[in-house]
Amino acid sequence: MNWDDWEMIWRRPQLPLGAAADLASLRQNFERTRRQTAKALLARDLLEAAAGVIVTTALGLIWWQQGKAGWPDRAGRWH
């Protein structure tokens, strides 16, 4: 290629592939995907919160039943 070929390519760039895309269908598909992702994230967050509450409750009940025996004394010995 010579300088004139490079200059012609530089002055007449190709349009990006998305320039001819159907924007209405892209927006509709994006909105549907966004809603699905939001629902999935909400379900995951609620499931993780429920798991945290269950584990905390279970550990609290175990420690409550253990009483003083579940804690080390000042010397670090377990009762």
Side-chain angles (χ1 to χ4, degrees), residues 8-66:
M8 183 180 66
I9 291 171
W10 177 257
R11 291 178 188 259
R12 293 187 353 195
Q14 297 286 336
L15 290 176
L17 294 176
D22 181 20
L23 292 179
S25 68
L26 285 175
R27 283 186 181 133
Q28 183 180 15
N29 289 337
F30 175 79
E31 184 61 26
R32 180 180 46 84
T33 305
R34 186 198 63 78
R35 275 187 263 117
Q36 287 176 343
T37 303
K39 287 178 186 177
L41 288 174
L42 178 63
R44 184 200 65 187
D45 291 346
L46 292 175
L47 184 64
E48 288 180 357
V53 169
I54 290 170
V55 168
T56 303
T57 303
L59 290 174
L61 288 174
I62 290 170
W63 288 331
W64 181 266
Q65 288 177 351
Q66 291 287 322

